[in-house]
Amino acid sequence: MSAASCLHTEDQFLCSICLGVFTHPVSTPCGHNFCKTCITNHWDGKVLYDCPNCKEVFKTRPELKVNTFIYEMVAQFRQSAQQEASSSSSEQQVSKPGEVPCDVCTGTKLKALKSCLVCLVSYCETHLEPHVTTTGLKRHQLIDPVENLEGRMCEKHDKLLELFCKNDQMCVCMLCTILDHKSHDVVPLREEYERKKAELGNTEAEIKQMIQKRRLKLEEFKQSVELSKKNADREVAEGVQVFSALMETVKRRLNRVTGTIKEKQRETEKQAEGFIKELQQEISDLEKRSSEVKKLSRYEDHLHLLQNITSLKAAPPNKNWTGVRVHPPSYEGTVVRAVKQLEETLSEQMKKLIEAELKRVQQNEAELKRVQRYEVDLTLDPDTAGSGLILSDDGKNVYQSNKRKNIPNNPERFSYYPIVLSKQSFSSGRFYFEVQVKGKTWWGLGVARESINRKGSITLRPQDGFWTIRLRNENEYTACDHHSVRLSLQPGPEKVGVFVDYEEGLVSFYDVDAAALIHSFTGCSFTEKLYPYFEPCSNDGGKNSAPLIISPVRHTE
């Protein structure tokens, strides 16, 4: 018997009502077999008793007895299946905490691979096989394993929640649509699932875009701080250099003034010291003579006085000091003259600085004149223009309107952003063009490669094929490099020149009126056609209604 049982398949032991392996199999008078509970429930509440398989009707309710032969065969099959499951359990994963276990496994629970929404049972690989091989079970809906399958049943009607009521925003069963949700907008659960999933996808994309925008803004703030620091460091360095030189000059002038004054003072002191020394010597000689005269005058003996008076030294010649003076030198005007000389020196330094600045401006003007020689005649391509853009008839002006037009969404067109490219493209050499941006509060200019993304979200940076500069919020100028670079432009340009050297890998932007370089992208690698890029940006309620205008170059001698 055991050998023969090996030839049986599970299909032979399945109840056609529950589609599961027989439990207490019974036979009807027509010879078909069912689970005793299944056929009993099938007949309960009926007047006519029929066979679910052949539809034969019995006049009276048949008395059911367990089919012992089938029962034994099912028992052997269950034992064989359990042994097979046990032998393969080592190869399958045992259910771990947090994983959904197989509801059929006895003893060690294996990890469920699928859950059946019809049977409301989760199956491991072994117990899932009937749902893969049996025709009737193949129609059951399988999903990734989930716990609490009972939660997928309607608590009120004990039916599968397979529909969604849009009015009440809740999952319902088939009976709910007939009773509680009658006339409501009800759709299949999968349809609402797909719609919600699409909404979540859009929400996720929007959130990612918001994150990206904030990261770019964060990077922009960091760049602004870094640019401010660089500008401050540069100005401080220049200030230190200029004022250090100024202080050194002042120090030299001060030393020279104090030296002159001290030299005059020393000469005066030297002259006075000579006079003082001479007077002191004369006073000493006179005091000695006075002492000798005083000594002789004390003699009482006439003869002795007369004999010794001849020994009295002759009086030294007396210098007339009446007209001798020590005249203090005049210091008046010394500081004033020194300051005046310092002023002249500073004026010379200022003149040199102005000459250096003028030379720099002349060099910039010469550089601008050089690149202006590569001027090209451009016209805007309407096939690339976003739906809200208005182009002039001559293809030289473009601005953003308040209304979007219904135009063909051809591959060349930018579907979302107010961007337009020129008809002309360049794949070698040098080219230059000028665009008037006067009166605009938002704009973008530059060049783009042919293969850029023109549909959906766009990131303006070289790795995505864009070399551009932009104005935002009237005074926020940035170069859209790998990371946004804040540009210090005060005042902002009214006309911007764009120069490209294809082989050199250079894209430069100029303030035409100031003849000043705004920014350069260097070391670029161009392998495709390049198109001039124009972005007039949002109309902003009329604040940014001025057009971008492709202007002819005004050559000067």
Side-chain angles (χ1 to χ4, degrees), residues 109-177:
K109 294 284 188 178
L110 299 181
K111 178 182 177 182
L113 294 184
K114 293 289 180 182
S115 294
C116 177
L117 294 181
V118 178
C119 304
L120 297 181
V121 175
S122 296
Y123 298 103
C124 64
E125 182 179 358
T126 300
H127 295 116
L128 181 64
E129 186 176 356
H131 280 74
V132 179
T133 59
T134 305
T135 304
L137 295 177
K138 285 182 179 179
R139 294 192 295 269
H140 288 196
Q141 185 179 355
L142 299 175
I143 62 172
D144 289 335
V146 294
E147 294 181 329
N148 190 25
L149 285 169
E150 293 78 8
R152 295 176 175 269
M153 301 297 290
C154 177
E155 295 181 356
K156 189 172 184 179
H157 304 111
D158 199 27
K159 297 291 183 182
L160 183 66
L161 296 172
E162 53 186 342
L163 300 172
F164 185 83
C165 176
K166 289 188 174 182
N167 298 70
D168 297 330
Q169 291 292 299
M170 61 183 296
C171 299
V172 297
C173 70
M174 189 63 70
L175 284 179
C176 289
T177 62

Side-chain angles (χ1 to χ4, degrees), residues 490-505:
Q490 294 297 334
E494 294 186 352
K495 185 180 290 186
V496 177
V498 183
F499 172 70
V500 177
D501 189 326
Y502 194 97
E503 282 74 21
E504 187 68 21

Side-chain angles (χ1 to χ4, degrees), residues 254-278:
L254 177 61
N255 291 337
R256 189 177 300 175
V257 169
T258 55
T260 300
I261 294 172
K262 288 180 179 180
E263 181 63 27
K264 288 183 178 181
Q265 173 65 16
R266 282 195 296 271
E267 290 177 358
T268 301
E269 289 178 354
K270 185 177 180 181
Q271 183 185 33
E273 287 174 357
F275 289 153
I276 291 171
K277 186 176 181 180
E278 189 176 350

Side-chain angles (χ1 to χ4, degrees), residues 379-404:
T379 52
L380 302 172
D381 185 358
D383 289 338
T384 65
S387 63
L389 296 182
I390 304 298
L391 278 61
S392 61
D393 293 337
D394 62 359
K396 299 294 184 181
N397 299 6
V398 60
Y399 68 92
Q400 172 77 2
S401 69
N402 290 323
K403 297 181 180 179
R404 297 179 71 86

Side-chain angles (χ1 to χ4, degrees), residues 260-414:
T260 300
I261 294 172
K262 288 180 179 180
E263 181 63 27
K264 288 183 178 181
Q265 173 65 16
R266 282 195 296 271
E267 290 177 358
T268 301
E269 289 178 354
K270 185 177 180 181
Q271 183 185 33
E273 287 174 357
F275 289 153
I276 291 171
K277 186 176 181 180
E278 189 176 350
L279 282 171
Q280 287 176 340
Q281 184 62 45
E282 287 187 2
I283 291 171
S284 177
D285 292 342
L286 289 172
E287 286 178 346
K288 287 181 180 180
R289 184 172 177 81
S290 174
S291 178
E292 291 176 357
V293 171
K294 186 177 181 180
K295 182 178 179 181
L296 288 173
S297 65
R298 289 177 181 159
Y299 287 167
E300 297 293 335
D301 188 341
H302 299 162
L303 177 64
H304 186 71
L305 173 66
L306 293 176
Q307 287 178 341
N308 289 285
I309 198 170
T310 56
S311 63
L312 184 65
K313 293 183 179 179
N318 294 324
K319 183 176 181 179
N320 185 5
W321 292 95
T322 303
V324 178
R325 296 284 187 276
V326 175
H327 298 283
S330 175
Y331 303 109
E332 185 177 353
T334 302
V335 175
V336 174
R337 287 191 298 272
V339 172
K340 187 176 181 180
Q341 291 175 353
L342 179 61
E343 184 180 1
E344 291 174 355
T345 301
L346 291 177
S347 178
E348 291 177 1
Q349 292 295 326
M350 282 295 298
K351 185 178 179 181
K352 290 180 181 179
L353 289 174
I354 292 172
E355 289 175 352
E357 180 65 18
L358 180 60
K359 184 177 181 181
R360 185 186 66 79
V361 171
Q362 291 173 343
Q363 290 175 342
N364 289 342
E365 290 177 347
E367 171 63 16
L368 182 59
K369 289 179 181 179
R370 182 186 72 81
V371 300
Q372 284 177 334
R373 296 196 311 243
Y374 300 99
E375 177 190 8
V376 292
D377 186 18
L378 299 179
T379 52
L380 302 172
D381 185 358
D383 289 338
T384 65
S387 63
L389 296 182
I390 304 298
L391 278 61
S392 61
D393 293 337
D394 62 359
K396 299 294 184 181
N397 299 6
V398 60
Y399 68 92
Q400 172 77 2
S401 69
N402 290 323
K403 297 181 180 179
R404 297 179 71 86
K405 301 179 294 183
N406 291 323
I407 52 178
N409 188 20
N410 50 285
E412 298 85 4
R413 191 177 309 283
F414 290 89

Side-chain angles (χ1 to χ4, degrees), residues 234-245:
R234 184 181 64 252
E235 290 299 320
V236 167
E238 291 180 359
V240 169
Q241 182 179 2
V242 171
F243 282 92
S244 295

